[in-house]
Amino acid sequence: MGRIAVVTDSTADLPAQVREELGIATIPLNVLWGNETLKDGIDIDAETFYARLKVDKELPKTSQPSAGEFVDFFRRVAEEQNVDTIVGLFISAELSGTISSAEIAKGLFSDVRIEVINSLSTSMGLGFQVLTAAQAARQGASVEEVIEAAQRVRYRQQVLFVVDTLEFLHRGGRIGGAQRLMGTALQLKPLLELEGGKIEAVEKVRTKRKAIDRLLSIALERKGNAPVEGAAVIHADDAEEAWLLQEQAQKLLGIDQVYVSILSPVLGTHTGPGTVGLTFHTR
């Protein structure tokens, strides 16, 4: 059986230690800030990004990697990891053109077999699919089994999050079904979810604390009686709230390990600072 490499993009928000242990190569998306094109997680890290976002009068934009960058990326992975198959799991095609670039590159690169998979998610919703697929590949699974492992996570996961304002999602064109909450009173905090690869509105709550409490109660409802296999708290420069949510999620979901990940600069560009969320998948 040939060797398989599982790869992803910089929005997966997987902890660096996990990526290194499993050999998960990552292609960066781009943050466009003024005249600068910054590689997500390479030219600018999350801490630097959020610090600059507070003081810079110009707001950043984002773009996906080009097909040419993907060809170079696939070639590097094939050579460095000595594989004959690459399984790429990337940010939802509803949120980014990354999948499109990867598909074009796939057609230009014939050295190894390449499978491009639309995760229908991002951040740790994508990250858990990548993690599970990489673990399957390491255990000797076939390409089909690796993809199936990721899909099992995809269809059993929830991604819920609270934003301070919808303005960033609206400005970046990623607002999706949350559009219906626009124009509500400023103090209301939108509770959103990723559903079918799109951002959808769940409901609006009067304060952030109550919105997070409501997020937890919805998570518990959706979990039902199924055991939770993996969970992560995600945040955009709100570590204090994230660690509190982690503690609550551990107790509520009955799981010992809950990752805490800061949203990458590309995702932070669209959610804005202060975003806090929870993703989990059941067995």
Side-chain angles (χ1 to χ4, degrees):
M1 186 178 296
R3 283 175 47 80
I4 302 169
V6 175
V7 303
T8 190
D9 64 69
S10 60
T11 71
D13 291 338
L14 275 168
Q17 182 180 352
V18 174
R19 296 197 309 269
E20 292 168 7
E21 287 177 355
L22 292 171
I24 301 168
T26 302
I27 187 168
L29 275 68
N30 303 303
V31 177
L32 312 177
W33 216 328
N35 296 323
E36 297 176 274
T37 299
L38 305 167
K39 297 296 181 187
D40 189 11
I42 297 176
D43 299 325
I44 187 167
D45 60 24
E47 289 76 12
T48 304
F49 170 81
Y50 289 111
R52 179 173 171 180
L53 192 62
K54 292 176 182 178
V55 298
D56 201 316
K57 294 180 180 179
E58 185 169 9
L59 292 176
K61 299 178 181 179
T62 63
S63 69
Q64 72 265 25
S66 68
E69 288 173 315
F70 260 110
V71 169
D72 293 340
F73 174 68
F74 290 147
R75 179 176 292 110
R76 186 172 69 253
V77 170
E79 292 174 352
E80 292 180 354
Q81 299 195 31
N82 189 29
V83 296
D84 54 23
T85 303
I86 296 173
V87 175
L89 291 133
F90 303 112
I91 181 174
S92 171
E94 297 288 347
L95 301 176
S96 170
T98 299
I99 287 280
S100 177
S101 291
E103 289 284 8
I104 294 171
K106 174 183 174 180
L108 300 172
F109 191 77
S110 58
D111 293 18
V112 301
R113 174 182 175 183
I114 297 174
E115 297 291 337
V116 175
I117 310 299
N118 182 0
S119 72
L120 298 179
S121 194
T122 192
S123 189
M124 280 298 289
L126 165 59
F128 276 124
Q129 294 180 47
V130 174
L131 171 62
T132 304
Q135 289 172 333
R138 173 160 289 194
Q139 293 164 5
S142 67
V143 176
E144 291 72 23
E145 289 169 337
V146 167
I147 295 172
E148 184 183 352
Q151 290 174 335
R152 282 199 301 270
V153 172
R154 181 195 312 164
Y155 294 118
R156 289 179 170 84
Q157 78 179 179
Q158 300 287 330
V159 181
L160 297 158
F161 60 105
V162 177
V163 295
D164 272 350
T165 172
L166 289 171
E167 188 58 36
F168 288 86
L169 285 168
H170 178 63
R171 187 184 290 116
R174 269 70 171 185
I175 195 166
Q179 177 70 44
R180 68 181 179 85
L181 298 184
M182 287 291 291
T184 56
L186 292 177
Q187 68 268 28
L188 295 180
K189 298 302 178 185
L191 175 54
L192 310 173
E193 67 178 330
L194 272 175
E195 175 64 32
K198 301 178 183 178
I199 294 172
E200 300 290 353
V202 179
E203 56 190 60
K204 52 192 177 184
V205 187
R206 186 155 298 279
T207 67
K208 189 172 185 178
R209 184 67 258 161
K210 289 182 178 178
I212 293 174
D213 288 343
R214 180 63 181 136
L215 179 155
L216 286 165
S217 65
I218 291 173
L220 187 60
E221 290 169 10
R222 294 184 179 182
K223 169 190 172 298
N225 294 322
V228 173
E229 194 166 59
V233 170
I234 52 180
H235 72 98
D237 198 33
D238 195 347
E240 184 177 347
E241 196 70 71
W243 290 112
L244 177 59
L245 179 55
Q246 180 203 39
E247 184 179 343
Q248 294 174 298
Q250 284 175 322
K251 295 177 182 177
L252 195 71
L253 300 179
I255 186 170
D256 292 333
Q257 183 182 45
V258 176
Y259 293 101
V260 175
S261 292
I262 187 168
L263 289 174
S264 74
V266 162
L267 294 180
T269 295
H270 296 289
T271 66
T275 297
V276 179
L278 174 69
T279 178
F280 68 93
H281 59 279
T282 55
R283 192 171 304 145

